[in-house]
Amino acid sequence: MNQNPIQRNTDGQLNIENLSIEHIAKEVGTPCYVYSRNGIRSRWQAFDIAFGQQPHLVCYAVKTNSNLAVLQTLAQAGAGFDIVSGGELARVLRAGGDAQKVVFSGVGKTVSEMRFALQMGIKCFNIESEAELYRLEHVAQEQAIPAVVSIRVNPDVDPKTHAYISTGLKENKFGVSFDKAFELYRYAFASEHLVVQGIDCHIGSQLLDLAPLQEAAKRVVAFQQKLASEGIYLHHIDMGGGLGINYQDEDQAPSPAHYVNAIIKAIGQTDIEILVEPGRAIVGNNGVLITKVEYLKENEGKHFAIVDAAMNDLIRPSLYGAWQEICEVTTSNSTKQLIDIVGPVCETGDFLGKQRQLAIQEGDYLAVLSAGAYGFVMSSNYNSRPRAAEVMVDDDCYHIVRKRETLDDIMCGETLID
Ligand SMILES: *Cc1c(COP(=O)(O)O)cnc(C)c1O
């Protein structure tokens, strides 16, 4: 499946794969997230295939969308996984993922997370600081399991993306400088509890321009060669994730094949395994959030649609000022008007989209597109709103892969004081 799995048919019905979204909304209720199983699998495969004969591993960034059925779909395709917590490792294992294909990123790994990952035999720890390296060495000694490490370098390139999702600049909290990394590699190389395996970086997210990534790759390769001249040989280069997607027509996101080829070109001929950690580019455009219009309201000429999804369900518009396309699930002949799509949460920042041209009536369904990444995973129970259901579509069937939360679910850990 190379085309977008979300298409409108000639009757004006929005479909995902071979199912009508309205049909799903009526049966499952709203708000709900709906994902395309074949779309997710084929985007992962697009990265994998593009590497050809080059040794490689495409590690899906679990934080983007960690639903077990998403992870299972990718595990069955042969994916590796990039995790940032022990919780994500537990999910990967439960979904049938292979621990030996897991890399563990993140600046704040705890001792218990390190123990768990060591015991499960993950592929590599992506070390983000000197203190973390010493801690991991200690845990490896205590467990009598050598820890396989990569040092995350900060190549200090500007990814030209949103400030909150840029990670490869000196002033960001991620990774270490090349100078620091050099010291850490020598230390790790000499340690009997650490095994030097690779090097990694991740310069940012929603990258639409591949030049900064290529610049980072060149700096990383030059450094890897410097290490080799010291007798420290690396077995993989991990370029992180970050490939962007089209949220609007005018965005020009490179394809996975373009992205992979740009990396291969910048790194040059090598037998070293290349890893990438795409998240958004695999799931982003393979998911939609479906919501129902509860009320229409007009305030001094300004029009609002109050819908049953809110910032607690999808925070990107409020948090990053992100723009996501919103469209009618079933088109009608009524006239379009400029309207703000807002949720019921008591915050002015609670909107999904502003000033959209839509023709809508009370009770209609709307679809927020490009919601497969950083959607459900960033949702909360703010305003005591149960979290949305998640649905996975596979051709002409669907599966509820996470039940809508109940009020009992959201209060279950709380107690009254006697
Ligand atoms: C967030 C993150 C990713 C995934 O980023 P995308 O932009 O979703 O591809 C990959 N690697 C690391 C280390 C990350 O922090």
Side-chain angles (χ1 to χ4, degrees):
M1 176 184 286
N2 290 315
Q3 60 170 26
N4 187 339
I6 294 126
Q7 301 278 341
R8 195 175 293 283
N9 72 11
T10 44
D11 307 337
Q13 282 281 338
L14 198 65
N15 288 347
I16 178 162
E17 298 202 20
N18 288 315
L19 267 188
S20 127
I21 287 181
E22 184 167 289
H23 170 75
I24 298 170
K26 282 190 171 144
E27 289 198 2
V28 179
T30 53
C32 78
Y33 278 94
V34 185
Y35 310 126
S36 161
R37 188 161 198 227
N38 290 292
I40 291 170
R41 186 190 298 112
S42 77
R43 282 291 277 192
W44 180 83
Q45 285 167 339
F47 284 91
D48 189 50
I49 290 165
F51 277 103
Q53 296 302 307
Q54 169 70 44
H56 69 279
L57 184 62
V58 180
C59 295
Y60 168 67
V62 175
K63 72 167 190 263
T64 322
N65 181 332
S66 56
N67 183 281
L68 290 178
V70 170
L71 302 180
Q72 176 192 34
T73 299
L74 292 168
Q76 286 169 350
F81 295 94
D82 169 48
I83 60 166
V84 293
S85 71
E88 288 189 350
L89 178 53
R91 284 181 172 277
V92 167
L93 298 174
R94 188 168 293 186
D98 180 356
Q100 288 173 32
K101 291 184 182 172
V102 169
V103 298
F104 193 169
S105 303
V107 292
K109 301 175 193 81
T110 64
V111 167
S112 64
E113 287 176 321
M114 286 175 171
R115 279 192 196 123
F116 178 39
L118 270 176
Q119 288 161 1
M120 294 302 120
I122 64 162
K123 179 178 174 74
C124 194
F125 287 86
N126 290 346
I127 298 295
E128 304 238 14
S129 67
E130 182 171 2
E132 184 192 341
L133 187 68
Y134 299 153
R135 181 185 286 185
L136 180 61
E137 183 185 35
H138 197 78
V139 175
Q141 178 176 20
E142 162 213 280
Q143 297 289 307
I145 307 171
V148 179
V149 299
S150 159
I151 309 287
R152 175 164 173 180
V153 292
N154 188 329
D156 196 23
V157 297
D158 183 352
K160 306 193 187 109
T161 183
H162 191 289
Y164 285 11
I165 50 178
S166 139
T167 50
L169 281 168
K170 276 202 294 247
E171 63 262 32
N172 296 133
K173 70 177 173 185
F174 300 99
V176 301
S177 68
F178 283 115
D179 287 345
K180 189 68 180 181
F182 193 70
E183 274 175 45
L184 298 186
Y185 275 108
R186 283 173 113 158
Y187 180 86
F189 190 64
S191 165
E192 48 180 307
H193 307 293
L194 299 172
V195 180
V196 171
Q197 160 80 20
I199 184 164
D200 65 286
C201 68
H202 171 74
I203 63 170
S205 200
Q206 186 53 15
L207 309 176
L208 298 177
D209 178 0
L210 297 177
L213 187 78
Q214 290 188 293
E215 180 55 34
K218 285 180 184 154
R219 292 183 191 183
V220 166
V221 171
F223 181 72
Q224 170 251 322
Q225 287 163 352
K226 179 177 162 191
L227 287 172
S229 71
E230 296 278 316
I232 301 176
Y233 297 99
L234 302 182
H235 303 285
H236 77 235
I237 295 177
D238 178 349
M239 288 305 301
L243 176 61
I245 60 171
N246 296 332
Y247 284 98
Q248 323 203 19
D249 289 342
E250 51 271 31
D251 291 345
Q252 293 290 324
S255 67
H258 268 109
Y259 165 86
V260 167
N261 287 325
I263 289 176
I264 290 177
K265 191 160 168 239
I267 290 181
Q269 175 58 41
T270 179
D271 295 335
I272 295 183
E273 184 182 32
I274 301 177
L275 271 57
V276 286
E277 304 168 349
R280 188 192 313 265
I282 290 177
V283 287
N285 277 333
N286 285 309
V288 294
L289 172 62
I290 312 303
T291 182
K292 190 165 85 181
V293 177
E294 290 285 350
Y295 297 101
L296 293 173
K297 176 169 175 175
E298 189 191 325
N299 258 355
E300 319 228 336
K302 209 171 148 55
H303 296 270
F304 295 93
I306 299 155
V307 299
D308 67 359
M311 63 188 290
N312 75 294
D313 298 298
L314 179 68
I315 204 174
R316 295 186 67 259
S318 320
L319 182 63
Y320 308 119
W323 190 97
Q324 293 186 216
E325 187 170 339
I326 300 175
C327 62
E328 299 94 346
V329 165
T330 307
T331 50
S332 67
N333 292 324
S334 34
T335 47
K336 295 192 181 250
Q337 60 178 353
L338 268 185
I339 190 162
D340 284 8
I341 312 300
V342 303
V345 164
C346 301
E347 297 276 346
T348 306
D350 180 29
F351 63 91
L352 297 176
K354 288 185 172 165
Q355 299 293 287
R356 305 303 175 90
Q357 281 285 353
L358 292 166
I360 39 182
Q361 310 282 322
E362 217 177 273
D364 283 358
Y365 295 113
L366 296 176
V368 185
L369 304 188
S370 310
Y374 305 108
F376 184 87
V377 286
M378 293 176 99
S379 67
S380 76
N381 294 122
Y382 189 40
N383 280 209
S384 286
R385 292 169 47 82
R387 278 180 294 173
E390 291 177 286
V391 170
M392 182 73 93
V393 170
D394 189 351
D395 190 25
D396 57 0
C397 335
Y398 74 83
H399 307 271
I400 296 176
V401 293
R402 192 181 205 275
K403 286 190 292 201
R404 181 179 311 288
E405 278 178 342
T406 64
L407 295 176
D408 281 336
D409 289 336
I410 72 177
M411 288 183 270
C412 80
E414 299 176 40
T415 46
L416 297 170
I417 299 164
D418 353 279

